């Protein structure tokens, strides 16, 4: 029902594109308006929780105040400073190109410096756990450095130059932090020069990652405008102008999982010749004749020449496990990874790195043999190969060490 206690008067005189609130319940509003409840407010204003204009956020309530054109995105940092992106070129009549950070009183934060900034509109702003900032939009450069539609900045606004330059060939409308990477959506049809249907998943260096989040075959057939991450179901909602996603009819709204296949338990330490279960969870619909296959990467974690080490024919959903048989002749390595793929439809699970550390907990009787204290032990895999360990760490009765190799 309508909350009649939220009183905005005549409200905005033109479009509103951005809403954000702070820890005090104050609401930042951005868009293309020039008036809000009859006050001059060029493209931005802060409201009290009751809907009234908050004049403590002094944007300059005059014809030269605020922004000279559209505000598209507003994000409030943990310290309550406000990042604002859009198509503007001035703030309070001072040159400010497409991206700015302001203090809670409306003054420009001079510690956030962007140089010439993005050369076109900023549509998306995301703050990562390390406080670096990812922006997406229609720009092709940031401070005169080539950055196609996505850029990553330090918390002071300086460009992180090691972040990939050639991300997308069309506008990016939203960026979401999913898993440990970046999900981008927009109008683009390639990401890192690879054909992608308006959606792609990148690692935090900007490199396309099709292992840890599989966006599906075909992607969206028209623009993606926005994401909503739902941590309760480990999924992401995408909305936009599309009527088809992944060759199926989804009218402008679709929910994606990090993967329809999710590994649910950490696998045991890799040992040549070992037999172990790989546990997983399945969602969605699997067709008759579908086969789930466990794949083991090479020693460097690459799946391009993966080994199939277990399989199960099933069209069921829910939790399950597959017995995996690790080869006897595995090359030495500590970067092995495991995943599960399905055949109908084709999908890939989340990926887990096989642990490279083992721990043993001893009680007093195990630490003595014939009344003498044990001072040395060796660890063997199922084929009786000696496992080479790194430096031992002793915590009470528990000894742990990195597994370096099996010989």
């Amino acid at each position: 029902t309508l909350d009649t206690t939220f009183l905005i008067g005549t409200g905005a005189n033109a479009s509103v594109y951005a809403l954000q609130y702070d820890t005090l319940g104050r609401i930042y509003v951005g868009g293309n308006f020039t008036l809000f409840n009859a006050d001059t407010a060029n493209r931005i204003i802060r409201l009290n929780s009751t809907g009234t204009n908050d004049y403590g956020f002094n944007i300059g309530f005059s014809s030269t105040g605020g922004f000279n054109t559209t505000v598209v995105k507003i994000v409030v940092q943990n310290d309550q400073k406000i990042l604002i992106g859009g198509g503007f070129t001035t703030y309070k009549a001072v040159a400010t190109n497409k991206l700015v950070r302001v203090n809670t009183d409306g003054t420009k934060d001079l510690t956030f410096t962007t140089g010439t900034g993005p050369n076109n509109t900023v549509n998306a702003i995301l703050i990562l756990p390390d406080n670096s900032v990812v922006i997406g939009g229609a720009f092709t450069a940031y401070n005169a450095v080539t950055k196609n539609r996505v850029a990553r900045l330090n918390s002071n606004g300086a460009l992180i130059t090691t972040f990939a330059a050639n991300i997308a060939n069309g506008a990016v409308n939203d960026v979401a932090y999913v898993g440990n990477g970046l999900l981008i959506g927009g109008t683009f049809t390639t990401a890192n020069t690879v054909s992608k249907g308006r959606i792609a998943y990148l690692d935090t260096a900007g490199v396309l990652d099709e292992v840890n989040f599989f966006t599906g075959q075909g992607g969206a057939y028209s623009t993606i405008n926005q994401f909503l991450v739902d941590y309760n179901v480990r999924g992401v909602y995408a909305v936009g102008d599309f009527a088809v996603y992944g060759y199926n009819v989804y009218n402008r709204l679709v929910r994606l999982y990090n993967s329809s296949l999710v590994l649910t338990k950490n696998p045991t330490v890799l040992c040549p010749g070992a037999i172990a279960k790989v546990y997983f969870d399945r969602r969605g619909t699997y067709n008759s004749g579908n086969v789930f296959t466990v794949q083991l990467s090479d020693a460097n974690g690459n799946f391009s020449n993966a080994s199939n080490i277990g399989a199960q024919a099933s069209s069921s959903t829910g939790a399950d496990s597959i017995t995996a048989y690790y080869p006897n002749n595995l090359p030495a390595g500590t970067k092995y990874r495991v995943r599960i793929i399905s055949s109908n439809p084709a999908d890939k699970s989340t990926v887990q790195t096989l642990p490279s550390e083992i721990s043993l907990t001893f009680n007093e009787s195990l630490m003595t043999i014939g009344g003498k204290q044990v001072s040395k032990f060796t660890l063997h895999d199922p084929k009786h190969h000696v496992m080479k360990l790194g430096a031992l760490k002793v915590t009470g009765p528990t000894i742990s060490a990195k597994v370096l190799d099996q010989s």
Side-chain angles (χ1 to χ4, degrees):
T1 59
L2 184 65
D3 183 356
T4 56
T5 67
F6 187 69
L7 303 173
I8 61 170
T10 55
N13 69 335
S15 298
V16 171
Y17 300 123
L19 284 174
Q20 186 61 267
Y21 62 89
D22 64 15
T23 56
L24 298 178
R26 300 173 298 193
I27 305 160
Y28 293 90
V29 184
N32 204 31
F33 53 87
T34 56
L35 296 173
F36 201 98
N37 196 13
D39 284 331
T40 298
N42 287 320
R43 285 90 188 181
I44 193 167
I45 195 166
R46 188 172 72 193
L47 307 178
N48 295 305
S49 60
T50 58
T52 58
N53 293 355
D54 181 354
Y55 302 106
F57 184 63
N58 185 4
I59 58 170
F61 294 93
S62 67
S63 60
T64 59
F67 295 97
N68 66 327
T69 190
T70 309
V71 167
V72 178
K73 187 70 175 180
I74 302 172
V75 173
V76 177
Q77 298 184 168
N78 288 336
D79 63 3
Q80 303 306 293
K81 291 183 179 182
I82 308 101
L83 283 163
I84 304 165
F88 51 83
T89 56
T90 65
Y91 177 64
K92 292 186 178 181
V94 176
T96 307
N97 210 35
K98 313 298 191 293
L99 180 67
V100 67
R101 189 167 69 193
V102 299
N103 298 306
T104 56
D105 61 0
T107 57
K108 185 176 181 179
D109 180 5
L110 300 180
T111 67
F112 188 79
T113 56
T114 62
T116 57
N119 67 343
N120 209 332
T121 304
V122 170
N123 298 323
I125 302 173
L126 173 69
I127 301 173
L128 294 181
D130 65 356
N131 293 319
S132 63
V133 178
V134 177
I135 59 172
F139 55 86
T140 57
Y142 182 91
N143 197 18
V145 177
T146 297
K147 291 292 173 183
N148 281 314
R149 284 86 183 189
V150 183
R152 185 174 174 187
L153 318 174
N154 287 306
S155 59
N156 62 0
L159 184 67
I160 297 176
T161 56
T162 54
F163 188 84
N166 189 26
I167 300 295
N169 69 337
V172 169
N173 294 333
D174 203 8
V175 182
Y177 187 62
V178 179
N180 293 310
L182 308 173
L183 188 65
I184 63 172
T187 66
F188 58 88
T189 55
T190 67
N192 289 168
T193 71
V194 177
S195 180
K196 303 298 292 183
R198 287 96 184 168
I199 185 170
Y201 187 69
L202 314 171
D203 66 20
T204 52
V207 177
L208 187 65
D209 180 352
E210 296 185 290
V211 172
N212 289 301
F213 193 111
F214 184 54
T215 55
Q217 299 291 336
Y221 277 48
S222 190
T223 304
I224 289 177
N225 291 326
Q226 190 174 4
F227 296 120
L228 173 65
V229 180
D230 185 343
Y231 295 100
N232 292 320
V233 299
R234 295 178 291 184
V236 181
Y237 296 91
V239 297
D241 299 326
F242 56 89
V244 175
Y245 188 99
Y247 308 127
N248 296 301
V249 174
Y250 287 98
N251 281 312
R252 297 160 185 88
L253 171 64
V254 67
R255 185 169 73 184
L256 311 171
Y257 289 108
N258 291 18
S259 174
S260 296
L261 293 168
V262 179
L263 299 189
T264 54
K265 291 184 180 180
N266 289 326
T268 56
V269 174
L270 172 65
C271 298
I275 301 173
K277 287 190 178 295
V278 177
Y279 295 87
F280 67 108
D281 192 9
R282 306 164 282 195
R283 311 183 188 92
T285 301
Y286 294 93
N287 301 317
S288 176
N290 174 68
V291 176
F292 295 106
T293 303
V294 180
Q295 291 192 323
L296 179 68
S297 74
D298 64 20
N300 294 312
N302 194 322
F303 284 99
S304 59
N305 292 304
S307 300
N308 295 334
I309 59 173
Q312 175 180 288
S314 175
S315 58
S316 301
T317 58
D320 205 346
S321 65
I322 298 174
T323 300
Y325 300 84
Y326 293 102
N328 290 322
N329 57 346
L330 282 176
T334 59
K335 296 181 180 179
Y336 281 100
R337 301 193 298 169
V338 67
R339 72 180 182 186
I340 292 177
I341 63 171
S342 62
S343 63
N344 191 9
D347 199 359
K348 305 171 188 175
S349 76
T350 53
V351 173
Q352 287 184 345
T353 300
L354 290 165
S356 59
E357 181 171 304
I358 192 165
S359 63
L360 303 172
T361 301
F362 295 88
N363 60 34
E364 186 176 353
S365 62
L366 287 176
M367 293 300 289
T368 59
I369 297 177
K372 296 183 179 180
Q373 186 175 10
V374 174
S375 59
K376 181 181 179 181
F377 67 91
T378 59
L379 189 65
H380 297 259
D381 68 19
K383 295 296 180 181
H384 304 290
H385 300 125
V386 175
M387 301 178 71
K388 296 178 182 178
L389 305 177
L392 297 180
K393 294 181 292 184
V394 180
T395 307
T398 300
I399 299 175
S400 60
K402 293 284 185 182
V403 178
L404 303 179
D405 194 2
Q406 294 91 32
S407 60

